[in-house]
Amino acid sequence: MTLAKIVYASMTGNTEEIADIVAEAFENLDLEVEIDECTQVEAEDFEDADICVVATYTYGEGDLPDEIMDFYEDLQELDLSGKIFGVCGSGDSFYDQYCKSVDDFDAAFLKTGASRGADSVKVEMAAEEEDIENLEAFAKKIVEAAS
């Protein structure tokens, strides 16, 4: 069975909810899913997965959250060739660097040799109905890329 691993960072709960939406979409597509908060896992755990997803928020003026920095740095050292990845997350368009952490993780995954399964999904604060539909389509596209 295809294993999708989702790692998230969430301060307010918005990004955890985004990760849960993606996890449910994967489960509905008959995937085995592991979902973990970023401080509870190591980047190397992605080596055991077929599909690797990071859901992160962007802090302040485009900064990665402190709690996911080590994970981010370790991720870039991995060889994830043959894996499919996706990145999603939340941000506040009040800031110039809207959802920059999503872009940072997308670039980090590309350094690992993994293949992007779907374009990143950026959510303004909390997921609304349209965002949920976009996240479900994101999950479906990643699964299609992995098969």
Side-chain angles (χ1 to χ4, degrees), residues 108-143:
F109 268 119
L110 289 174
K111 288 181 183 175
T112 70
S115 300
R116 184 186 299 119
D119 290 336
S120 299
V121 176
K122 299 176 179 180
V123 175
E124 174 77 20
M125 308 298 272
E128 304 288 337
E129 190 172 334
E130 182 181 346
D131 299 310
I132 293 168
E133 291 169 7
N134 290 340
L135 290 163
E136 289 170 344
F138 165 83
K140 185 171 190 258
K141 193 166 182 192
I142 289 172
V143 171

Side-chain angles (χ1 to χ4, degrees), residues 18-30:
I18 289 166
D20 288 340
I21 292 165
V22 173
E24 185 177 338
F26 282 150
E27 287 168 353
N28 291 340
L29 295 166
D30 295 325

Side-chain angles (χ1 to χ4, degrees), residues 68-130:
I68 205 165
M69 282 299 296
D70 289 342
F71 189 92
Y72 172 77
E73 289 167 2
D74 293 344
L75 175 65
Q76 295 178 75
E77 304 298 318
L78 299 178
D79 178 359
L80 297 178
S81 301
K83 311 282 185 196
I84 303 296
F85 79 88
V87 185
C88 52
S90 61
D92 185 342
S93 60
F94 169 81
Y95 295 100
D96 291 338
Q97 299 285 330
Y98 175 65
C99 284
K100 183 176 180 294
S101 293
V102 170
D103 298 333
D104 291 343
F105 265 100
D106 186 78
F109 268 119
L110 289 174
K111 288 181 183 175
T112 70
S115 300
R116 184 186 299 119
D119 290 336
S120 299
V121 176
K122 299 176 179 180
V123 175
E124 174 77 20
M125 308 298 272
E128 304 288 337
E129 190 172 334
E130 182 181 346

